[in-house]
Amino acid sequence: MTKPDTSKSVRDHLVDALNLDFVGPWAGHALSDEKLPGWIRPSTWYLTGFLVPTNAPLEQRSDLDEEDDLDAVPEQGGLPEESAEERKTAKRSLFPSSMGLSFLVPEDTNALAVTVRWGDYEHEARKAGDQAGDEPSEPSVWRRLARERTLQVDLTNPGDYDVPDSGPGLVLHVVERRIRTESLTDIPAGTRSVSLFLVNRRTPNLEEPNLTYAFQAEIEVRNAQGFVARPDPRRAQAGDWDADVADLHYADTPEYAAGHGVSADWEVVEGACRVLRTTWIPHAHVAKTDTVDMPNVVLSMDALGTLQDGPAATRALMPLVRDYRTWIDARRDDVAGLVGARRETGEEMLRRAGLAADRIEGGIAVLASNAQALDAFRLANRAVATAMRKRLELDAPAWRAFQLAFLLLNLAGLVDGRHPDRRMVDLLFFPTGGGKTEAYLALAAFAMVLRRLRRPGAGGRQGAGVSVIMRYTLRLLTLDQLSRAAGLICALELEREADPGRYGEWPFEIGLWVGKAATPNVMGRKGERGSESARSKTNRFQRNPDSNPSPIPLENCPWCNKRFTPNSFTLEPNADAPEHLRVVCADYECDFSGDRPLPIVAVDEPLYRRLPAFLIATVDKFASLPWVGQTGMLLGGAERFDERVSTGRRHRARGDPWPSRCRRPIW
């Protein structure tokens, strides 16, 4: 096979591979006349795409694999951290007996050419030996017979059409009706709705059920007059802003058919659709999302990280607002050409875009007038740039326009606790790989640094504590984000060490607050039972690093990407009664080796004491808030620094003086 050399050919190859694995070969494929091993039924080999007889017994119509697991369903839910969707439901899964699609045809369409394709599998017995008693010379196989029949469907006479040479038993059921178009301005008068269903009414074979199944079932419909685009049913949902926006965004992407038990696909040539077909594995072309070039805006992180003063920030960033407003004004002519609800939606979108431009300008004004905010902005840019250089080996990291806009429009709400934007939640929406993570990490860095600058007392401890909580529902995604966010914290920590008088003596740290399956909840002590403590996991890894995972959910140093070794982890102050898990890089050339540990806290007990500035958490951990008193520390409950425990904070004891509280984090 020739190696694919373009991204499109790679995608096409993957789609074909999925179809071949899950559904089976299609018309014209090299394996159209394939032979499967006789000891595997085709309905087991292929997971979908086949129709069973309508009156087949239940044991033939049900998924035997699903049936095997019914007894394993617990009576009262599953694990505490398991969602209802993740638990297996005690419901029998049935194979389909029919599938079809619905579409619209113009008034002058009276007949349709419908092609039905499927595959039948015959079970070929093994060849007998030359003499009685000899062993068979060849194994049995299931041989595929490709079928294709074209029917002329008279829409003036709907009903059942027998598919010729189908066994017999395959039936094309046709439903036709006129639709009322008075309230549908974009549907031509006289348009009719047609539904086609391929139904397997074969007589079940009790001994070899697969002999009566219709595999790789497909319906293809052709109409020389073309098909009518279907209206978007979501348009009728008054007050649904998301539906209104989607209707406007995809106004030039019509839908021509809807599947029943299967998906629908179509071909559009020169603006007209004349071919529809069913597909078991749907696919769609997604246009690439990209940003525009803005040559007048300073996007270099290095340049933004060294802005001299407020006027310099204004000169560097105000072109972003001017160019954005110019783009908004250019869209007004497009909106003026719309009608009805779509015009109202377009006008509201432009109004909201104008508000976003005002917020971006407000963020620039904050940098121009607030020296602490400008300092935090500069450091956030330098930290993100340094982290990207380490992770991606970039020479000159730069923002995309939407990233910088997202950062700027949130500054006013972060700086002023009484600003109206504090009540607003912004959704950063962009395809994977576009830079969403760096954008919100820069915003997190700004918030953490600003708190240090505003509360410099006690060596920076008054400005310490949890500043940012990043919550995820998926644990794997949480661990991926940990590695990227840890790189940012490492960059911030190096900046802090270079100027502790400005940013404080207390380190910037990142904490991981997830279930014990990913991180230890307790440090553990010698003599205690259990294998989930940090002490147990560390000891196992140090004894046999090849067979045991790292005690924290990171295998490599987040700064230099060198793999952790047993020497990377130390239980402090001693291995028998540890209070903290110290993590260093094994590479002595790394900035975080030797006497400078990585700023990572991944065990609950020291996490409640140290209160890392950046906390990554999963939603299930928040269920412990009413039950575990120490969790209140994370949400601003710490009221004093305890010198007795040099690595943390504790609750205010009775009779102790009342210093200023630790501030609540930003969510």
Side-chain angles (χ1 to χ4, degrees), residues 520-588:
N521 288 348
V522 296
M523 290 300 304
R525 301 175 66 87
K526 183 178 180 179
E528 288 183 346
R529 296 183 178 180
S531 60
E532 301 301 324
S533 68
R535 180 179 182 273
S536 297
K537 289 187 175 183
T538 301
N539 289 338
R540 288 199 301 270
F541 180 72
Q542 291 177 338
R543 286 194 300 265
N544 190 352
D546 295 331
S547 302
N548 293 287
S550 166
I552 66 173
L554 286 175
E555 299 290 341
N556 300 331
C557 172
W559 190 241
C560 70
N561 202 37
K562 294 296 176 58
R563 192 167 184 82
F564 286 139
T565 69
N567 294 329
S568 298
F569 303 96
T570 305
L571 297 168
E572 295 183 339
N574 58 74
D576 292 339
E579 295 182 356
H580 182 64
L581 178 62
R582 186 173 185 268
V583 186
V584 298
C585 182
D587 186 354
Y588 70 92

Coordinates of all heavy atoms in Angstrom, one line a residue, residues 520-588:
P520 N -1.5 10.0 46.0 CA -1.7 9.6 47.4 C -2.5 10.7 48.1 O -2.3 11.9 48.0 CB -0.3 9.5 47.9 CG 0.6 9.5 46.7 CD -0.1 10.3 45.7
N521 N -3.4 10.2 49.0 CA -4.1 11.1 49.9 C -3.4 11.4 51.2 O -3.7 12.4 51.8 CB -5.5 10.6 50.1 CG -6.4 10.7 48.9 OD1 -6.1 11.4 47.9 ND2 -7.6 10.0 48.9
V522 N -2.6 10.4 51.6 CA -1.9 10.5 52.9 C -0.4 10.2 52.7 O 0.0 9.5 51.8 CB -2.5 9.6 54.0 CG1 -4.0 9.9 54.3 CG2 -2.4 8.1 53.5
M523 N 0.4 10.7 53.6 CA 1.8 10.4 53.6 C 2.2 9.0 54.0 O 3.0 8.4 53.4 CB 2.6 11.5 54.4 CG 2.6 12.9 53.8 SD 3.4 12.9 52.2 CE 5.0 12.2 52.5
G524 N 1.5 8.6 55.1 CA 1.7 7.2 55.6 C 2.9 7.2 56.6 O 3.7 8.2 56.7
R525 N 2.9 6.2 57.4 CA 3.9 6.0 58.5 C 4.4 4.6 58.5 O 3.7 3.6 58.1 CB 3.4 6.4 59.9 CG 2.9 7.9 59.9 CD 2.3 8.1 61.3 NE 3.3 8.1 62.3 CZ 4.0 9.1 62.7 NH1 3.9 10.3 62.1 NH2 4.9 9.0 63.7
K526 N 5.5 4.3 59.1 CA 6.0 3.0 59.2 C 5.1 2.2 60.1 O 4.7 2.6 61.2 CB 7.5 3.0 59.8 CG 8.1 1.6 59.9 CD 9.5 1.7 60.4 CE 10.2 0.3 60.5 NZ 11.6 0.4 61.0
G527 N 4.8 1.0 59.7 CA 3.9 0.1 60.5 C 2.5 0.2 60.1 O 1.7 -0.7 60.5
E528 N 2.1 1.2 59.3 CA 0.7 1.3 58.9 C 0.4 0.4 57.7 O 1.3 0.2 56.9 CB 0.4 2.8 58.5 CG 0.3 3.7 59.7 CD -0.1 5.1 59.2 OE1 0.0 5.4 58.0 OE2 -0.5 5.9 60.1
R529 N -0.8 -0.1 57.7 CA -1.2 -1.0 56.6 C -1.8 -0.1 55.5 O -2.1 1.0 55.7 CB -2.3 -2.0 57.1 CG -1.8 -3.0 58.1 CD -2.9 -4.0 58.4 NE -2.4 -5.0 59.4 CZ -3.2 -6.0 59.8 NH1 -4.4 -6.1 59.4 NH2 -2.7 -6.8 60.7
G530 N -1.8 -0.7 54.3 CA -2.3 0.0 53.1 C -1.2 0.3 52.1 O 0.0 0.5 52.5
S531 N -1.5 0.3 50.9 CA -0.5 0.5 49.8 C -0.7 1.7 49.0 O -0.1 1.9 48.0 CB -0.6 -0.7 48.9 OG -1.9 -0.8 48.3
E532 N -1.6 2.6 49.4 CA -1.9 3.8 48.7 C -1.3 5.1 49.2 O -1.5 6.2 48.7 CB -3.5 4.0 48.6 CG -4.2 2.9 47.9 CD -3.7 2.6 46.5 OE1 -3.4 3.6 45.8 OE2 -3.7 1.4 46.1
S533 N -0.5 5.0 50.3 CA 0.1 6.1 50.9 C 1.3 6.6 50.0 O 1.9 5.8 49.3 CB 0.6 5.9 52.3 OG 1.6 4.9 52.3
A534 N 1.7 7.8 50.2 CA 2.9 8.3 49.5 C 4.2 7.5 49.9 O 5.0 7.2 49.0 CB 3.1 9.8 49.8
R535 N 4.2 7.1 51.2 CA 5.4 6.3 51.6 C 5.4 5.0 50.9 O 6.5 4.6 50.4 CB 5.3 6.2 53.1 CG 6.5 5.4 53.7 CD 6.3 5.2 55.2 NE 7.5 4.5 55.8 CZ 7.5 3.2 55.9 NH1 6.5 2.5 55.5 NH2 8.6 2.6 56.4
S536 N 4.3 4.3 50.8 CA 4.3 3.0 50.2 C 4.6 3.1 48.7 O 5.4 2.3 48.2 CB 2.9 2.3 50.4 OG 2.7 2.1 51.8
K537 N 4.0 4.1 48.0 CA 4.2 4.2 46.6 C 5.7 4.6 46.3 O 6.3 4.1 45.3 CB 3.3 5.3 46.0 CG 1.8 4.8 46.0 CD 1.0 5.8 45.2 CE -0.5 5.3 45.1 NZ -1.3 6.2 44.3
T538 N 6.2 5.5 47.1 CA 7.6 5.9 46.9 C 8.6 4.7 47.2 O 9.5 4.5 46.4 CB 8.0 7.0 47.9 OG1 7.1 8.1 47.6 CG2 9.4 7.5 47.7
N539 N 8.3 3.9 48.2 CA 9.2 2.8 48.5 C 9.2 1.8 47.4 O 10.2 1.2 47.0 CB 8.8 2.2 49.9 CG 9.2 3.0 51.0 OD1 10.1 3.9 50.9 ND2 8.6 2.9 52.2
R540 N 8.0 1.5 46.9 CA 7.8 0.5 45.8 C 8.6 1.0 44.6 O 9.3 0.2 43.9 CB 6.4 0.2 45.5 CG 5.6 -0.6 46.5 CD 4.4 -1.2 45.9 NE 3.5 -0.1 45.4 CZ 2.5 0.5 46.2 NH1 2.4 0.1 47.4 NH2 1.7 1.4 45.6
F541 N 8.4 2.3 44.2 CA 9.1 2.8 43.0 C 10.6 2.8 43.2 O 11.4 2.5 42.3 CB 8.6 4.2 42.8 CG 9.3 4.9 41.6 CD1 8.9 4.5 40.3 CD2 10.2 5.8 41.7 CE1 9.5 5.0 39.2 CE2 10.8 6.4 40.6 CZ 10.5 6.0 39.3
Q542 N 11.1 3.1 44.4 CA 12.5 3.1 44.6 C 13.1 1.7 44.6 O 14.3 1.5 44.2 CB 12.9 3.8 46.0 CG 12.6 5.3 45.9 CD 12.8 6.0 47.2 OE1 12.8 5.3 48.3 NE2 13.0 7.3 47.2
R543 N 12.3 0.7 45.1 CA 12.8 -0.7 45.0 C 12.9 -1.2 43.6 O 13.8 -2.0 43.2 CB 12.0 -1.6 45.9 CG 12.2 -1.4 47.4 CD 11.6 -2.5 48.2 NE 10.2 -2.6 48.0 CZ 9.3 -2.0 48.8 NH1 9.7 -1.3 49.9 NH2 8.0 -2.2 48.6
N544 N 11.8 -0.9 42.8 CA 11.7 -1.5 41.5 C 11.0 -0.5 40.6 O 9.8 -0.6 40.3 CB 10.9 -2.8 41.5 CG 11.0 -3.6 40.2 OD1 11.5 -3.1 39.2 ND2 10.5 -4.8 40.2
P545 N 11.8 0.4 40.0 CA 11.2 1.5 39.2 C 10.7 0.9 37.8 O 9.8 1.6 37.2 CB 12.3 2.5 39.0 CG 13.5 1.7 39.2 CD 13.2 0.6 40.2
D546 N 11.1 -0.2 37.4 CA 10.7 -0.8 36.1 C 9.3 -1.4 36.2 O 8.6 -1.4 35.2 CB 11.7 -1.8 35.6 CG 13.1 -1.2 35.3 OD1 13.1 0.0 35.0 OD2 14.1 -1.9 35.5
S547 N 8.9 -1.8 37.4 CA 7.6 -2.5 37.5 C 6.6 -1.7 38.3 O 5.4 -2.1 38.4 CB 7.8 -3.9 38.2 OG 8.7 -4.7 37.6
N548 N 7.0 -0.5 38.8 CA 6.1 0.3 39.6 C 6.0 1.7 39.0 O 7.1 2.2 38.6 CB 6.5 0.3 41.0 CG 6.3 -1.0 41.7 OD1 5.2 -1.5 42.0 ND2 7.5 -1.7 42.0
P549 N 4.9 2.3 39.0 CA 4.8 3.7 38.5 C 5.4 4.7 39.5 O 5.6 4.4 40.7 CB 3.3 3.9 38.4 CG 2.7 3.0 39.4 CD 3.6 1.8 39.5
S550 N 5.6 5.9 39.0 CA 6.1 7.0 39.8 C 5.0 7.2 40.9 O 3.8 7.1 40.7 CB 6.3 8.2 38.9 OG 6.4 9.4 39.7
P551 N 5.5 7.7 42.1 CA 4.5 7.9 43.2 C 3.6 9.1 42.9 O 2.6 9.3 43.6 CB 5.4 8.2 44.4 CG 6.7 8.5 43.9 CD 6.9 7.8 42.6
I552 N 3.9 10.0 41.9 CA 3.1 11.0 41.5 C 2.7 10.8 40.0 O 3.4 10.1 39.4 CB 3.7 12.4 41.7 CG1 4.9 12.6 40.8 CG2 4.1 12.6 43.2 CD1 5.5 14.0 40.8
P553 N 1.6 11.4 39.6 CA 1.2 11.1 38.2 C 2.0 11.8 37.1 O 1.5 12.3 36.2 CB -0.3 11.5 38.2 CG -0.3 12.6 39.2 CD 0.6 12.2 40.3
L554 N 3.3 11.9 37.3 CA 4.2 12.4 36.3 C 5.4 11.5 36.2 O 6.0 11.1 37.2 CB 4.7 13.8 36.7 CG 3.7 15.0 36.5 CD1 4.4 16.2 37.1 CD2 3.3 15.2 35.1
E555 N 5.7 11.1 35.0 CA 6.8 10.2 34.8 C 8.1 10.9 34.4 O 9.2 10.4 34.6 CB 6.5 9.2 33.6 CG 5.3 8.3 33.9 CD 5.6 7.2 35.0 OE1 6.8 7.0 35.3 OE2 4.7 6.7 35.6
N556 N 8.0 12.2 33.9 CA 9.1 13.0 33.5 C 9.1 14.3 34.2 O 8.0 14.8 34.6 CB 9.1 13.2 32.0 CG 9.1 11.9 31.2 OD1 9.7 10.9 31.7 ND2 8.6 11.8 30.0
C557 N 10.2 14.9 34.3 CA 10.4 16.3 34.8 C 9.6 17.2 33.9 O 9.8 17.3 32.7 CB 11.8 16.7 34.9 SG 12.1 18.4 35.3
P558 N 8.7 18.0 34.5 CA 7.9 19.0 33.6 C 8.7 20.1 33.1 O 8.2 20.9 32.3 CB 6.8 19.4 34.6 CG 7.4 19.3 36.0 CD 8.3 18.1 35.9
W559 N 10.0 20.2 33.5 CA 10.8 21.4 33.1 C 11.8 20.9 32.0 O 11.8 21.6 30.9 CB 11.6 21.9 34.2 CG 12.3 23.2 33.9 CD1 13.6 23.4 34.0 CD2 11.7 24.4 33.5 NE1 13.9 24.7 33.6 CE2 12.7 25.4 33.3 CE3 10.4 24.8 33.3 CZ2 12.5 26.7 32.9 CZ3 10.1 26.1 32.9 CH2 11.2 27.0 32.7
C560 N 12.5 19.8 32.2 CA 13.4 19.4 31.1 C 13.0 18.1 30.4 O 13.7 17.6 29.5 CB 14.8 19.2 31.8 SG 14.9 17.8 32.9
N561 N 11.9 17.5 30.9 CA 11.4 16.3 30.3 C 12.2 15.0 30.5 O 12.0 14.0 29.9 CB 11.1 16.4 28.8 CG 10.1 15.5 28.3 OD1 9.1 15.1 29.0 ND2 10.3 15.0 27.1
K562 N 13.2 15.1 31.4 CA 14.0 13.9 31.7 C 13.2 13.0 32.6 O 12.5 13.4 33.5 CB 15.3 14.3 32.4 CG 16.3 15.0 31.5 CD 16.7 14.2 30.3 CE 17.6 15.0 29.3 NZ 18.8 15.5 29.9
R563 N 13.3 11.7 32.5 CA 12.5 10.7 33.2 C 13.0 10.7 34.7 O 14.2 10.8 35.0 CB 12.7 9.3 32.6 CG 11.7 8.3 33.1 CD 11.7 7.0 32.3 NE 10.6 6.1 32.7 CZ 9.4 6.2 32.4 NH1 9.0 7.2 31.6 NH2 8.5 5.3 32.8
F564 N 12.0 10.6 35.6 CA 12.3 10.5 37.0 C 12.9 9.1 37.3 O 12.7 8.1 36.7 CB 11.0 10.6 37.8 CG 10.4 12.0 37.9 CD1 9.1 12.2 37.8 CD2 11.3 13.1 38.0 CE1 8.5 13.5 37.9 CE2 10.8 14.4 38.1 CZ 9.4 14.6 38.0
T565 N 13.8 9.2 38.3 CA 14.5 8.0 38.8 C 14.1 7.8 40.2 O 13.6 8.7 40.9 CB 16.0 8.1 38.6 OG1 16.5 9.1 39.5 CG2 16.4 8.4 37.1
P566 N 14.5 6.7 40.9 CA 14.3 6.5 42.3 C 14.9 7.6 43.1 O 14.3 8.0 44.2 CB 14.9 5.2 42.6 CG 14.8 4.4 41.3 CD 15.0 5.4 40.3
N567 N 16.0 8.3 42.7 CA 16.6 9.3 43.4 C 15.8 10.7 43.3 O 16.1 11.6 44.0 CB 18.0 9.6 42.9 CG 18.9 8.4 43.3 OD1 18.7 7.7 44.3 ND2 19.9 8.1 42.4
S568 N 14.8 10.7 42.5 CA 14.0 11.9 42.3 C 13.0 12.1 43.4 O 12.5 13.3 43.6 CB 13.2 11.8 41.0 OG 14.1 11.7 39.9
F569 N 12.8 11.1 44.3 CA 11.8 11.3 45.3 C 12.4 11.0 46.7 O 13.1 10.0 46.9 CB 10.6 10.3 45.1 CG 10.0 10.5 43.8 CD1 10.3 9.7 42.7 CD2 9.0 11.4 43.6 CE1 9.8 9.8 41.4 CE2 8.4 11.6 42.3 CZ 8.8 10.8 41.2
T570 N 12.1 11.9 47.6 CA 12.6 11.8 49.0 C 11.5 12.1 50.0 O 10.8 13.1 49.8 CB 13.8 12.8 49.2 OG1 14.8 12.7 48.2 CG2 14.4 12.6 50.6
L571 N 11.4 11.2 50.9 CA 10.4 11.4 52.0 C 11.0 12.2 53.1 O 12.0 11.8 53.7 CB 9.9 10.0 52.5 CG 9.2 9.1 51.5 CD1 9.0 7.7 52.1 CD2 7.8 9.7 51.2
E572 N 10.4 13.4 53.4 CA 11.0 14.3 54.4 C 10.0 14.4 55.6 O 8.8 14.4 55.4 CB 11.3 15.6 53.8 CG 12.4 15.6 52.7 CD 12.8 16.9 52.2 OE1 11.9 17.9 52.3 OE2 13.8 17.1 51.6
P573 N 10.6 14.6 56.8 CA 12.0 14.7 57.2 C 12.7 13.4 57.3 O 13.9 13.3 57.3 CB 11.9 15.4 58.6 CG 10.6 15.0 59.1 CD 9.7 14.9 58.0
N574 N 11.9 12.3 57.3 CA 12.5 10.9 57.3 C 11.5 10.0 56.7 O 10.3 10.3 56.6 CB 12.9 10.5 58.8 CG 11.7 10.5 59.7 OD1 10.8 9.6 59.6 ND2 11.6 11.5 60.6
A575 N 12.0 8.8 56.4 CA 11.2 7.8 55.6 C 10.2 7.1 56.5 O 9.3 6.5 56.0 CB 12.1 6.8 54.9
D576 N 10.4 7.1 57.9 CA 9.5 6.4 58.8 C 8.2 7.2 59.1 O 7.1 6.6 59.2 CB 10.2 6.1 60.1 CG 11.3 5.0 59.8 OD1 11.2 4.3 58.8 OD2 12.2 4.9 60.7
A577 N 8.4 8.5 59.2 CA 7.2 9.4 59.5 C 7.3 10.6 58.7 O 7.5 11.7 59.2 CB 7.2 9.7 61.0
P578 N 7.1 10.5 57.4 CA 7.3 11.6 56.5 C 6.1 12.6 56.6 O 5.0 12.2 56.9 CB 7.3 11.0 55.1 CG 6.5 9.7 55.2 CD 6.8 9.2 56.6
E579 N 6.4 13.9 56.3 CA 5.4 14.9 56.3 C 5.4 15.6 54.9 O 4.5 16.3 54.6 CB 5.8 16.0 57.3 CG 5.7 15.5 58.7 CD 5.9 16.6 59.7 OE1 6.3 17.7 59.3 OE2 5.8 16.4 61.0
H580 N 6.3 15.2 54.0 CA 6.4 15.9 52.7 C 7.1 15.0 51.7 O 8.0 14.3 52.1 CB 7.0 17.2 52.8 CG 7.1 18.0 51.5 ND1 5.9 18.4 50.9 CD2 8.1 18.4 50.7 CE1 6.2 19.0 49.7 NE2 7.5 19.0 49.6
L581 N 6.7 15.0 50.5 CA 7.3 14.2 49.4 C 8.1 15.3 48.5 O 7.5 16.1 47.8 CB 6.3 13.5 48.6 CG 6.9 12.7 47.4 CD1 7.9 11.6 47.9 CD2 5.8 12.0 46.6
R582 N 9.4 15.2 48.6 CA 10.2 16.1 47.9 C 10.5 15.5 46.5 O 10.9 14.4 46.4 CB 11.5 16.4 48.6 CG 12.4 17.5 48.0 CD 13.6 17.7 49.0 NE 14.4 18.8 48.5 CZ 15.5 18.6 47.8 NH1 15.9 17.4 47.4 NH2 16.3 19.7 47.4
V583 N 10.4 16.3 45.4 CA 10.6 15.8 44.1 C 11.6 16.7 43.4 O 11.5 17.9 43.4 CB 9.3 15.9 43.3 CG1 9.5 15.3 41.9 CG2 8.1 15.2 44.0
V584 N 12.6 16.0 42.9 CA 13.7 16.8 42.1 C 13.9 16.0 40.8 O 13.6 14.9 40.6 CB 15.0 16.8 42.9 CG1 14.8 17.6 44.2 CG2 15.6 15.4 43.2
C585 N 14.6 16.7 39.9 CA 14.9 16.1 38.6 C 16.2 15.4 38.8 O 17.1 15.8 39.5 CB 15.1 17.2 37.5 SG 15.5 16.5 35.9
A586 N 16.4 14.2 38.1 CA 17.6 13.4 38.3 C 18.7 14.0 37.5 O 19.9 13.6 37.7 CB 17.3 12.0 37.9
D587 N 18.5 14.9 36.5 CA 19.5 15.4 35.7 C 20.1 16.6 36.4 O 19.4 17.7 36.7 CB 18.9 15.9 34.4 CG 20.0 16.3 33.4 OD1 21.1 16.5 33.8 OD2 19.6 16.6 32.2
Y588 N 21.4 16.6 36.8 CA 22.0 17.7 37.5 C 22.1 19.0 36.8 O 22.3 20.0 37.3 CB 23.4 17.2 38.0 CG 24.4 17.1 36.9 CD1 25.2 18.2 36.5 CD2 24.6 15.9 36.2 CE1 26.1 18.1 35.5 CE2 25.5 15.8 35.1 CZ 26.3 16.9 34.8 OH 27.2 16.8 33.8

